[in-house]
Amino acid sequence: MKLELHIWRQAGPNIKGYFEGHTLDDLDEHMSVPEMLDHLNTKIIKSGGNPVAFESDCREGICGQCGFVINGDVHSPNKGTTTCQTHLRSFQDGQTLYLEPFRAGAFPIKKDLVIDRSAFDRIIQAGGYIGVNTGQAAEANTLLINHELAEKAFDAAACIGCGACVATCKNASAMLFTSAKVNHLSMLPQGKPEASNRVKNMVAQMDMEGFGSCSATGACEVVCPQGITMTNIAEMNSRWLWQNLK
Amino acid sequence: MLDSRIPDGPLEDKWQKYKAHAQLINPANRRNYKIIVVGTGLAGASSAASLAELGFQVEVFTFHDSARRAHSVAAQGGVNAAKDYKNDGDSVWRMFYDTLKGGDFRAREANVYRLAECSMALIDQAVAQGVPFAREYSGYLSNRSFGGVQVSRTFYARGQTGQQLLLGAYQALMRQNAGSNLTLHTRHEMLDVITLNGEAKGVTIRNLDTGELTSHHCDALLLATGGYGKIYYLSTLAMNCNATAIWRAHRKGAFMAAPSWTQFHPTSLPQLGDYQSKLTLMSESLRNDGRIWVPKLVNEKRAPKDIPEAERDYYLERRYPSFGNLAPRDISSRAAKERIDAGHGVGPMKNAVYLDFKDALNRDGQPAIAQRYGNLFDMYQKITGMNAYKEPMMIAPAAHFSMGGLWVDYRLMSNLPGLFVLGEANFSDHGANRLGANSLLQSCVDGYFIAPSTVMDYLAEVGSAKSKKDATWEAAAALSKAEVSKRLEHLLKIKGNTTAEEFHKELGQILYVKCGLSRNQTDMEAAREALLALQKRFQKELLIPGNASEINFELEKAVRVEDYLEMAILIVEDALQRKESCGAHFRQEYQTEDGEALRNDEDFKYVSAWEYKGDNQYALHKEHLNFEFVELKSRSYK
C-alpha cells in the first residue's frame, strides 16, 4: 500500500513550523497510524535524518496519549476512534495524508506532533476529585447507587483526557472535558458535598487556561473516542448557574 | 542474609500485629521527611497521595506527560476482593488460598494473606473516591468471576476498571499536588539511584523536554514503575513500559527476584504482521461467556461457522472439566500454544484460537452480552474489522505481567535500606503466576494501605538525623549524575546503523522463542549466546539521531533497550537455574505424562534473588519459602 504523507514539523514551541513530504510505498493496510510513523522514522533515522516526534503509549485507545489531525479529521477519519486505533485500511491506496498536531492556544506545540496538555491536569487539580483521604471510606455497600446512575456516571467518567474535543472545537473549548468530570463526580452521592465548589473552581481554572467558550456546535461529541455526550455541557451549565445563584 | 521480616504469630494476626507495633512519627514532624515516588500508576499515585495526606513531603516523578497515562489505565476486567457479597462461600482465607495456589506455591504466605485481607478496604476506598463500579438494579455492587477461582469476587467498571481506579488515584494525587505536601514532575525519568553507605538516598532524574539532569535527595525512595513484559517487544504493555528504574536500582545493589516469571495472557489478539508494535489484550472476563476451541482437523480451511460441533475441539473444557474456559492464565496460554504448535491454529498466520460467544448469545441474547462486553466487542471490531457478534473472536497468548521484580521484604523494602518497591515492579504476592484481577488489587493495596504504614515505620526507625543532605551526599549525587551523563553521551556517540527499536524487536524474538511460554535447557543456552552477541552489536551498531539536550524519543528508547538487553540475560539465567516447572515457568524437561507442569518442592521451594556483579555476572541468593499454614499440593484444575 502506498501513501503520500505531509507531516507537520516544528523544532520547538516558538519556532515556525512547516509540512514535510514523505512517500511510503511498502505499507500494510493493517498497520496502525503510529506503526506507520514507526516505520517512517526507522527509514528517516537510517538515512541520517531527524525522525518525526510523536507520542503514543498504550496503542489500544485508552491512555489518551496519542492524537493528531489527519486530513482535517481530529484523531481519525473514523468516528469516535483514537489515532492509535486507526488502521491504514481506513485510507485509499495512493491517498495523500496531511498529519498535524491538535491545535489549540491552551495546548502549545512542543515539537512536531507533540503537544502540551497539562492544562487538563490543572483543571482536575482545581476540583476534579472527591476529597476523601485513605482510610476514611465506609463499607462500600452502605452506599446504594442505582444501576442507571452508576452507568450514567461511568459514561461521563470514561474520558481519556486526549483533548480531541478541544482540537475539533472552533473555539478550542474544553467544556466537554470539564463537564464530564464535574458531572461524573457531582451526580454521585459521594461527590455531592463538594459539588458547588467543584463546578466553580474547575470552570474558573478552565477559563484561566485560555480555552474558548462553548457555542454548542456539538463537534466535540462527534470525535470523542469514549462517546461522551454534549448533554454533559448542559448539565454542567445548570450546576454552574445554580451555584452562582446561591 | 535475606530477611523477609515476616511477623510471628497466626497468619490472620500478622498484619494487625505489624501495624500495632509499627513506629509512628508525630504529625508535626512528618514534614521533615522527604519521600520520592517514581511512577504514577496505581501503586505510585496511591502511595504518593496517601503519604502526602499523612503530612510527609512527597516528590513524584513520571516520564509521562500526565500522571493519568500510566499503564494501569489499560487494565480491563476488574479487581478482586473477598467481600463475599455473593454469599458463594468466599472468605479472606479462600482468596488467600486461591492466590497462593494460582501462583503455584511460590509466594510468601504472609504477603498473600495480607493482600486478601486488605482487599475489602480497597473497594470501600475506591467507591468513596467515586469509582463507578457496576451495580445491580437494587443499587448494590455487582461481581463477576475470573480465571482460577470458583467464586465471584471481581468488581468491575465495564471493561475499563483499571482506568477508573487509576483516575481515582490520579485525582487523589492531583488533590495533593494542589496542596503543600506534594510536588509532581511530569516528563521526568529516573535514570539512577543515589546510594550512600548502601542506602537509597536519592535519584538522578532527566528532564525529558530539556535533557537537563538533576539530583534529588530523599529519606525514602519508592519505585512504582511497573512491569517489564515489554522486554518481549510484542506484549500487551504500552510502548513506553520499561525496566530502567528497577534495573538501575538493581545495578546499585537491589536484588532482582524471579525475573523469568512472566505471565502470557491467553486472550490477546494475535500478531498479524512484522510491522506490529503491540498485541492488544481482550479482557479475561470474556472467558465467562466465551468458549475456546480450535478445529479438530489440522490445516482446517473452512470458516468457523461451517465447522460442525463434532469437529471442534473445546480443549480447555476437555482437559480441565471443572474449570473449563476459566482455567488460570498460565494453563490456558500453554494449552493454546500446545494446540497451535500441533497445527490446529487459526487465522492468517495460524497463530490463534477461537473464542466463541455463539452459545452465550443464543442463551442470553445480544443486548445482555453487549451490556457485559460491549466496549470489548467494539474494540475488537476497531482493531480487526470483524464483528464478534457474528463470528468467533480470534485470540492468542501474549507477554503480559511480570511476577518477578525487585526483591522486597514484608515491609515492601528491598535489601537496600530506604528503597521500597510497590506494585508490579516488586516480586511479592503472585508467586509464579498471577490470577486475573489481582494486579489492580496488589498495586492499590501496596500504595494505599501497606506503604504508608511501613514507610513511616522505617523512617521512624532511622530517625531524621540520618537523612542529612551533606557534602558526602552531594559527592555521591555528583558522581551519579556524571555516570548518567557519560552513559547518554556514549550511546549517542556509537553512530552505527541500527535503531533501538530494531534491536528491541530482535531481543524480543529471541526471548519469545527460546525463553517464553515454554523453555528448555538447549534453547536457553542458545538464547544466552544470541543475547550476548546482540548486546555486543548494540554497543557497536546503535544509531540515535539528535542530542541529549532536547526532546529525543530515540535516546529514551535506547536507554531502555540497553537495560532490557542486560536484563534478558539474567532472565535466561534465572530460567536455567530453576529445574522444575511452576506457574508461568514451564520447563519442557519437567512435565507429567499428560503435559502438566511438574513442580519440585524439595529442591526449588524458594524465590531466586539475584545480586548484580557486573559484566553479565550475578550471584544467586535464595529466599526459602516456609509453608506453615497450608499444605503444598500439586495444582490441579481438572
Side-chain angles (χ1 to χ4, degrees):
Chain A
M1 185 176 181
K2 181 176 167 180
L3 288 173
E4 197 181 307
L5 304 174
H6 297 273
I7 302 174
W8 185 259
R9 304 303 306 261
Q10 183 172 336
N14 301 312
I15 299 169
K16 199 169 178 313
Y18 60 96
F19 281 103
E20 183 179 271
H22 292 277
T23 304
L24 291 174
D25 55 10
D26 54 352
L27 299 168
D28 188 297
E29 60 167 4
H30 295 303
M31 275 180 173
S32 65
V33 171
E35 283 168 351
M36 172 187 75
L37 290 181
D38 289 344
H39 181 66
L40 172 67
N41 276 345
T42 304
K43 289 191 171 192
I44 294 178
I45 296 166
K46 279 173 165 299
S47 60
N50 189 4
V52 179
F54 71 98
E55 286 188 302
S56 123
D57 199 24
C58 78
R59 297 200 173 176
E60 52 187 272
I62 192 71
C63 75
Q65 181 95 65
C66 72
F68 336 124
V69 177
I70 305 174
N71 283 357
D73 289 322
V74 170
H75 265 316
S76 170
N78 308 327
K79 187 172 172 256
T81 304
T82 57
T83 300
C84 67
Q85 297 275 69
T86 304
H87 297 81
L88 303 190
R89 56 180 177 265
S90 303
F91 307 106
Q92 307 288 321
D93 193 12
Q95 199 178 339
T96 301
L97 303 184
Y98 284 83
L99 267 59
E100 301 170 69
F102 283 180
R103 294 187 192 273
F107 290 165
I109 295 173
K110 289 165 86 171
K111 186 179 182 180
D112 298 343
L113 303 174
V114 180
I115 54 168
D116 177 356
R117 281 165 293 191
S118 53
F120 271 8
D121 288 328
R122 291 187 292 273
I123 293 174
I124 297 295
Q125 188 169 310
Y129 49 76
I130 288 173
V132 54
N133 281 2
T134 303
Q136 288 178 321
E139 210 296 321
N141 257 349
T142 53
L143 188 70
L144 299 186
I145 297 170
N146 76 50
H147 177 80
E148 289 78 9
L149 182 60
E151 294 295 307
K152 194 177 166 210
F154 182 97
D155 288 340
C159 169
I160 60 173
C162 63
C165 48
V166 174
T168 201
C169 176
K170 61 179 180 160
N171 307 323
S173 166
M175 285 289 272
L176 193 68
F177 169 82
T178 308
S179 64
K181 186 49 68 186
V182 164
N183 294 336
H184 156 219
L185 297 173
S186 302
M187 76 174 83
L188 290 170
Q190 309 90 299
K192 292 232 186 284
E194 294 161 293
S196 75
N197 277 338
R198 178 178 302 120
V199 69
K200 187 176 70 180
N201 295 339
M202 287 178 74
V203 168
Q205 186 68 36
M206 177 184 80
D207 290 342
M208 212 152 78
E209 296 290 346
F211 291 104
S213 308
C214 173
S215 46
T217 66
C220 50
E221 73 171 15
V222 176
V223 297
C224 176
Q226 292 290 330
I228 293 170
T229 58
M230 269 187 83
T231 52
N232 278 292
I233 297 178
E235 199 175 321
M236 180 172 80
N237 280 335
S238 129
R239 288 180 197 283
W240 188 84
L241 194 66
W242 280 111
Q243 188 280 134
N244 277 280
L245 287 175
K246 269 203 273 191
Chain B
M1 177 162 186
L2 283 175
D3 180 4
S4 54
R5 301 180 65 125
I6 296 169
D8 301 330
L11 194 53
E12 52 275 22
D13 294 345
K14 286 180 191 290
W15 178 236
Q16 294 311 321
K17 187 178 164 193
Y18 174 83
K19 286 220 294 185
H21 294 99
Q23 300 174 74
L24 301 177
I25 295 169
N26 179 312
N29 288 340
R30 290 179 198 156
R31 71 174 68 93
N32 301 327
Y33 291 86
K34 167 84 170 287
I35 297 165
I36 288 180
V37 178
V38 184
T40 58
L42 271 175
S46 61
S47 59
S50 302
L51 286 160
E53 286 163 12
L54 286 169
F56 292 104
Q57 282 298 316
V58 183
E59 207 160 349
V60 187
F61 297 95
T62 170
F63 64 71
H64 282 107
D65 73 329
S66 163
R68 67 183 294 155
R69 314 250 187 250
H71 200 53
S72 306
V73 81
Q76 297 169 355
V79 55
N80 287 331
K83 287 275 199 187
D84 194 27
Y85 283 163
K86 288 278 192 183
N87 193 30
D88 57 359
D90 202 6
S91 65
V92 171
W93 177 272
R94 190 178 295 279
M95 182 167 168
F96 150 74
Y97 188 79
D98 285 343
T99 303
L100 196 71
K101 176 188 170 194
D104 221 353
F105 302 96
R106 290 292 175 266
R108 276 183 212 135
E109 287 174 323
N111 282 57
V112 177
Y113 193 88
R114 178 176 62 183
L115 181 72
E117 185 182 347
C118 297
S119 65
M120 291 88 83
L122 184 261
I123 301 302
D124 301 341
Q125 186 66 31
V127 166
Q129 288 174 345
V131 171
F133 284 125
R135 300 269 174 169
E136 309 288 352
Y137 284 96
S138 54
Y140 290 98
L141 286 152
S142 180
N143 293 102
R144 62 184 170 199
S145 195
F146 251 57
V149 304
Q150 289 174 318
V151 294
S152 291
R153 67 164 73 100
T154 306
F155 293 78
Y156 62 101
R158 278 186 219 159
Q160 296 171 215
T161 317
Q163 182 207 22
Q164 293 307 314
L165 285 172
L166 181 67
L167 290 178
Y170 156 75
Q171 288 161 198
L173 178 76
M174 297 315 288
R175 172 175 166 244
Q176 291 304 315
N177 196 38
S180 57
N181 292 343
L182 186 143
T183 315
L184 169 67
H185 305 272
T186 57
R187 293 278 298 152
H188 281 70
E189 183 163 31
M190 187 204 109
L191 291 180
D192 198 19
V193 177
I194 299 168
T195 54
L196 209 56
N197 308 319
E199 296 179 19
K201 285 290 168 208
V203 284
T204 300
I205 298 278
R206 178 165 183 265
N207 177 329
L208 299 178
D209 286 343
T210 64
E212 189 194 3
L213 296 176
T214 46
S215 311
H216 302 262
H217 173 267
C218 65
D219 300 301
L221 170 62
L222 276 58
L223 297 186
T225 54
Y228 51 83
K230 181 76 191 164
I231 196 168
Y232 286 89
Y233 190 73
L234 281 178
S235 79
T236 64
L237 277 73
M239 298 308 289
N240 293 306
C241 289
N242 67 83
T244 287
I246 58 171
W247 192 254
R248 291 288 132 184
H250 173 57
R251 287 174 64 112
K252 283 295 180 83
F255 291 175
M256 184 65 73
S260 68
W261 290 348
T262 297
Q263 177 175 80
F264 285 74
H265 198 290
T267 56
S268 152
L269 299 183
Q271 184 184 4
L272 290 172
D274 295 335
Y275 53 82
Q276 206 155 325
S277 58
K278 83 158 278 164
L279 299 171
T280 301
L281 183 72
M282 301 305 291
S283 169
E284 168 169 313
S285 62
L286 292 168
R287 292 200 277 147
N288 272 300
D289 286 300
R291 295 178 70 197
I292 294 173
W293 62 278
V294 291
K296 281 188 179 163
L297 210 64
V298 172
N299 285 325
E300 175 65 72
K301 300 257 185 324
R302 286 173 292 180
K305 64 174 172 34
D306 299 330
I307 303 173
E309 280 297 322
E311 293 175 45
R312 300 174 173 198
D313 177 12
Y314 294 89
Y315 58 87
L316 283 176
E317 296 171 20
R318 168 170 60 79
R319 286 179 68 178
Y320 308 101
S322 69
F323 279 70
N325 294 298
L326 285 172
R329 290 179 176 175
D330 54 339
I331 288 174
S332 307
S333 288
R334 213 148 49 228
K337 181 177 164 26
E338 190 274 329
R339 287 290 82 192
I340 291 166
D341 289 350
H344 298 273
V346 298
M349 288 174 81
K350 297 275 173 211
N351 58 354
V353 300
Y354 290 126
L355 175 63
D356 201 334
F357 291 86
K358 182 171 59 96
D359 294 347
L361 285 163
N362 288 340
R363 186 185 62 226
D364 301 338
Q366 184 161 332
I369 297 299
Q371 189 166 42
R372 268 173 242 164
Y373 311 111
N375 66 321
L376 297 170
F377 279 51
D378 290 350
M379 186 161 128
Y380 184 76
Q381 181 141 31
K382 272 182 192 168
I383 297 170
T384 63
M386 288 186 284
N387 181 348
Y389 294 106
K390 298 231 155 68
E391 52 191 324
M393 288 184 179
M394 281 190 280
I395 54 160
H400 182 53
F401 184 86
S402 321
M403 279 76 70
L406 289 179
W407 183 89
V408 288
D409 64 14
Y410 190 70
R411 299 201 293 185
L412 302 182
M413 190 165 87
S414 76
N415 58 305
L416 286 189
L419 174 67
F420 291 78
V421 192
L422 277 58
E424 194 176 346
N426 73 26
F427 89 99
S428 69
D429 298 353
H430 308 293
N433 173 55
R434 176 175 66 73
L435 288 186
N438 266 353
S439 71
L440 291 178
L441 176 67
Q442 185 225 335
S443 307
C444 289
V445 165
D446 283 5
Y448 285 117
F449 304 121
I450 301 175
S453 178
T454 62
V455 170
M456 176 139 62
D457 184 31
Y458 164 77
L459 291 173
E461 185 180 288
V462 297
S464 55
K466 255 194 149 181
S467 59
K468 273 186 298 196
K469 193 177 168 183
D470 55 14
T472 337
W473 184 87
E474 297 286 358
L479 184 65
S480 163
K481 197 197 276 188
E483 280 170 4
V484 171
S485 173
K486 200 172 123 193
R487 177 182 179 209
L488 300 180
E489 287 307 321
H490 164 75
L491 290 173
L492 281 160
K493 265 192 221 144
I494 299 174
K495 291 280 173 230
N497 55 13
T498 308
T499 65
E501 190 135 315
E502 289 175 306
F503 278 112
H504 195 170
K505 283 184 178 177
E506 267 192 72
L507 159 66
Q509 192 58 22
I510 295 170
L511 219 49
Y512 182 76
V513 174
K514 297 191 159 70
C515 195
L517 272 160
S518 63
R519 298 111 189 241
N520 67 61
Q521 177 140 354
T522 318
D523 280 353
M524 284 194 287
E525 281 168 357
R528 183 162 52 190
E529 292 313 306
L531 290 169
L532 286 167
L534 191 64
Q535 199 181 32
K536 283 211 180 77
R537 270 184 49 215
F538 181 87
Q539 294 299 336
K540 282 200 192 114
E541 296 172 13
L542 174 70
L543 174 58
I544 308 174
N547 61 58
S549 54
E550 57 178 357
I551 295 182
N552 188 339
F553 292 118
E554 289 301 313
L555 177 61
E556 294 171 29
K557 279 189 222 169
V559 164
R560 296 167 188 165
V561 173
E562 187 186 33
D563 289 337
Y564 269 152
L565 273 166
E566 199 173 39
M567 184 177 200
I569 294 163
L570 179 61
I571 286 178
V572 171
E573 202 67 45
D574 185 53
L576 271 170
Q577 63 84 32
R578 189 168 284 276
K579 295 190 166 82
E580 66 159 350
S581 293
C582 62
H585 172 73
F586 187 76
R587 285 282 299 257
Q588 287 155 353
E589 304 96 314
Y590 308 100
Q591 54 179 306
T592 63
E593 272 177 17
D594 51 354
E596 302 299 331
L598 193 60
R599 225 173 54 213
N600 176 350
D601 292 330
E602 190 135 331
D603 300 318
F604 293 95
K605 202 178 59 185
Y606 62 79
V607 172
S608 56
W610 298 90
E611 181 184 358
Y612 184 80
K613 293 283 190 189
D615 200 22
N616 294 320
Q617 299 300 311
Y618 301 90
L620 174 63
H621 302 269
K622 297 174 182 175
E623 183 198 333
H624 289 277
L625 297 168
N626 297 320
F627 292 91
E628 294 175 59
F629 305 95
V630 301
E631 191 191 336
L632 293 187
K633 286 207 173 116
S634 148
R635 187 164 158 249
S636 170
Y637 293 91
K638 283 188 183 292

